[in-house]
Amino acid sequence: MSITARENWLRTVEYRYPEWIPCYVGLAPILFKLYRQDLERVICEHPRIFPGYQANQRDYDWMPPAYHLDERYRDNWGCVWHNIQEGIEGQVVEHPLADWSALAPWHPPDPHHYFERNKADWGEIKAELREQRLLGKLVSGNAERLFDRLYALRGFDNLMLDFALEPPELCRLINILTQHELALIDLWLEAGVYVISFHTDIGTQRSLMISPASFRKYIKPMFTTLFQRCRQAGVHVNLSSDGRLLEIVDDLVECGVSIHDPQLRANGLEGIKQAYCGRLCINLDLDRQGFPFMSPAQMRDQVREVVDTLALPEGGLMVLAQFYGNDIPLANIAACLEAMEDFCFTKRN
């Protein structure tokens, strides 16, 4: 490889002929607790996917907040999370703005001091990012949740009614979230990142959670304000959203999204090809719902089909495998990693 991973990533996003297809793997804490040294052994066999990984440095039983069985955890936004399965993130069960009467005295956490679940030490963050830049790494920032923040605060049913009934409080809450995110974005820009990531789960497996018209009226203006702040500073926007978003891909491009992670099962390979290829960098989210039930050969075939269908010589494709359940065979994880190395690290002509 004649270029750095950072340069290859930038070439991929900007359609400037990368040397390989970037690929990434997410592993839930439960998998380390379940497979322990065997999982680390598999990881260490694939240093191109896990560069610099140090074995025997991990507490296999460690869990972050909201990942402990039967835990009730209040985050810095006032949302209470509850967990019914060890090692996988729980869900919000108490919503601080379930009643609009709570909006007036409520305020979001100060991004200068707090993230969703942790304190923010920006002096330490900036020092760490400076070191990473000197090492030639791709430094990135996390601007957290957008649409999913709204239903975490209001509750899903309440939020769906809000989009139907259109109370004035909905616009106020969206504006509060927008201002919070702008402040957080500016902090990441000051830290010198190349890309800022946002999370916004807004799709089901069949459609958006709200109508495209409601999206364009209420959510797209927020997206545009936030994402253009990044793009005008020369920083890319990485948007993560589960579900079927094919109806709003044009809108995402207009808002300024650089990379999106369409789910294979929800959007279909042909749907993704038609809506994204050549227009918006794809971080293809492989079929995580199928991972427990596939054979290793099927895992390999899925990666190969994705690359054969979506890869262009000029770039625009990344491959993402997210292993989140406690029912995923270790052999399937190994097969996916092997396939990524076989099909993603060969220069496309």
Side-chain angles (χ1 to χ4, degrees), residues 75 77 79 81 106 115-116 143-155 159 173 177 180-181 199-200:
D75 67 24
W77 291 76
C79 301
W81 297 72
W106 176 87
F115 295 123
E116 179 181 271
E144 302 188 339
R145 304 177 193 271
L146 299 177
F147 185 79
D148 46 341
R149 181 74 70 199
L150 297 177
Y151 55 76
L153 293 169
R154 282 286 289 149
L159 186 66
L173 179 57
L177 177 58
H180 171 274
E181 289 294 307
H199 193 273
T200 200

Side-chain angles (χ1 to χ4, degrees), residues 26-281:
L27 295 162
I30 190 60
L31 292 169
F32 286 94
K33 184 171 184 176
L34 180 64
Y35 292 122
R36 310 178 86 80
Q37 293 94 338
D38 290 336
L39 178 56
E40 284 209 318
R41 175 184 52 77
V42 171
I43 290 172
C44 291
E45 290 173 353
H46 301 281
R48 285 182 291 185
I49 300 173
F50 298 95
Y53 185 87
Q54 297 292 318
N56 304 314
Q57 304 291 313
R58 187 184 188 99
D59 177 357
Y60 299 126
D61 297 311
W62 176 83
M63 301 289 164
Y67 279 72
H68 297 272
L69 178 64
D70 207 30
E71 175 186 19
R72 296 181 74 85
Y73 173 82
R74 186 180 298 275
D75 67 24
N76 291 325
W77 291 76
C79 301
V80 175
W81 297 72
H82 181 235
N83 191 300
I84 61 172
Q85 185 172 350
E86 182 82 4
I88 298 175
E89 187 178 57
Q91 69 179 57
V92 177
V93 294
E94 292 183 20
H95 312 278
L97 300 181
D99 191 310
W100 279 126
S101 64
L103 180 61
W106 176 87
H107 57 83
D110 182 349
H112 293 83
H113 302 289
Y114 296 98
F115 295 123
E116 179 181 271
R117 301 180 190 178
N118 308 100
K119 290 183 178 180
D121 184 336
W122 284 99
E124 182 178 318
I125 291 168
K126 290 177 180 180
E128 181 179 344
L129 294 183
R130 280 196 298 271
E131 183 177 343
Q132 290 181 9
R133 282 197 301 274
L134 290 173
L135 294 173
K137 294 183 178 181
L138 179 78
V139 293
S140 62
N142 179 11
E144 302 188 339
R145 304 177 193 271
L146 299 177
F147 185 79
D148 46 341
R149 181 74 70 199
L150 297 177
Y151 55 76
L153 293 169
R154 282 286 289 149
F156 187 80
D157 290 351
N158 286 339
L159 186 66
M160 295 302 102
L161 286 171
D162 293 337
F163 282 106
L165 301 176
E166 301 185 303
E169 291 88 350
L170 177 61
C171 287
R172 292 177 204 159
L173 179 57
I174 291 172
N175 182 62
I176 290 171
L177 177 58
T178 302
Q179 295 307 310
H180 171 274
E181 289 294 307
L182 284 172
L184 182 55
I185 289 167
D186 286 345
L187 287 165
W188 284 118
L189 294 178
E190 290 172 13
V193 297
Y194 296 100
V195 57
I196 297 178
S197 296
F198 300 82
H199 193 273
T200 200
D201 284 351
I202 195 172
T204 71
Q205 290 196 170
R206 296 184 178 181
S207 66
L208 296 177
M209 294 177 184
I210 58 176
S211 70
S214 291
F215 169 82
R216 292 174 184 126
K217 180 175 181 180
Y218 288 101
I219 304 302
K220 184 177 179 180
M222 173 176 65
F223 280 12
T224 301
T225 297
L226 301 179
F227 301 162
Q228 287 301 320
R229 177 71 67 91
C230 301
R231 299 304 297 273
Q232 289 168 9
V235 170
H236 283 294
V237 172
N238 179 21
L239 182 66
S240 176
S241 179
D242 290 350
R244 187 178 178 91
L245 272 65
L246 295 178
E247 292 177 290
I248 61 166
V249 172
D250 289 345
D251 300 281
L252 299 183
V253 173
E254 291 172 8
C255 291
V257 176
S258 308
I259 315 108
H260 177 243
D261 60 347
Q263 290 185 304
L264 180 57
R265 178 179 290 241
N267 296 280
L269 198 52
E270 284 304 315
I272 294 168
K273 180 179 180 179
Q274 293 176 19
Y276 289 81
C277 271
R279 305 179 61 238
L280 179 60
C281 184

Side-chain angles (χ1 to χ4, degrees), residues 1-6 8-9 12 18-23 48 317 344-348:
M1 299 177 184
S2 61
I3 60 174
T4 65
R6 178 178 67 189
N8 191 76
W9 187 94
T12 300
E19 292 193 358
W20 68 91
I21 297 169
C23 45
R48 285 182 291 185
L317 176 64
C344 297
F345 287 88
T346 302
K347 186 173 177 63
R348 311 292 296 184

